[in-house]
Amino acid sequence: MMAESIKIVCTHCDAVNKLPSDKLNAGGVCGKCKKKLFAGHYATLKAANAQRHFEQSDIPVVVDCWAAWCGPCKSFAPTFEQAIKKLEPKARFAKLDTEKEQKLAARFQIRSIPTLLVMKNGKEVARQAGVMTLPQFEQWLKPHLA
């Protein structure tokens, strides 16, 4: 019996890849750019690629909405990086610079930063504003992970 395939969007080139679900933990490489699909790196969201990540990914997409001038955003960044290394491939992690992508931030009604979103099947399923410790972040994410 064939394993079900899971769609994963590459953080490097935004290509949609199909991976057998039983091979998800092994990671795999992108069919287009040949880079690892899970390399402890977040995707940078832009108007041009956000929908693809949200709608074409079969795993949840965890989004950190931030800005370079935001002190709390800077203090949360290492926690977000730790979470990526610890929780991939149960989720895809992405960052949205609310200054560079103001229309996208407005579309998601980001009113304070940092704001964390969990997207599944193109829809927002969770939102949390403010900084969290790694254990708090993991606890908040737990019900939404693949």
Side-chain angles (χ1 to χ4, degrees):
M1 191 165 103
M2 291 282 294
E4 177 187 338
S5 66
I6 293 178
K7 290 185 292 185
I8 304 292
V9 181
C10 179
T11 58
H12 305 284
C13 71
D14 301 321
V16 179
N17 292 267
K18 284 189 176 180
L19 200 62
S21 59
D22 58 351
K23 303 276 189 229
L24 187 61
N25 287 330
V29 294
C30 177
K32 184 177 177 186
C33 73
K34 307 301 181 206
K35 292 183 180 174
K36 286 184 176 181
L37 288 172
F38 295 103
H41 184 73
Y42 59 83
T44 299
L45 295 182
K46 298 179 173 100
N49 71 357
Q51 280 307 110
R52 173 172 282 188
H53 280 274
F54 297 153
E55 293 177 359
Q56 296 295 314
S57 182
D58 287 336
I59 60 173
V61 180
V62 180
V63 184
D64 177 12
C65 303
W66 68 287
W69 53 262
C70 168
C73 298
K74 288 179 187 175
S75 73
F76 181 69
T79 302
F80 194 74
E81 297 278 343
Q82 289 173 319
I84 296 170
K85 287 171 178 52
K86 199 169 180 183
L87 299 173
E88 274 187 341
K90 294 176 183 162
R92 167 62 75 218
F93 289 81
K95 289 183 89 96
L96 170 61
D97 184 333
T98 59
E99 290 296 301
K100 289 183 180 172
E101 297 294 333
Q102 292 183 9
K103 285 183 180 169
L104 195 54
R107 190 178 123 210
F108 287 101
Q109 299 176 337
I110 304 303
R111 306 250 187 272
S112 64
I113 50 175
T115 291
L116 297 156
L117 308 173
V118 178
M119 305 293 292
K120 278 187 180 176
N121 303 316
K123 294 182 178 27
E124 180 182 323
V125 296
R127 176 182 292 237
Q128 176 71 43
V131 175
M132 290 183 263
T133 64
L134 184 59
Q136 290 169 327
F137 188 36
E138 288 179 277
Q139 190 64 35
W140 177 73
L141 282 176
K142 198 175 186 177
H144 307 291
L145 299 178

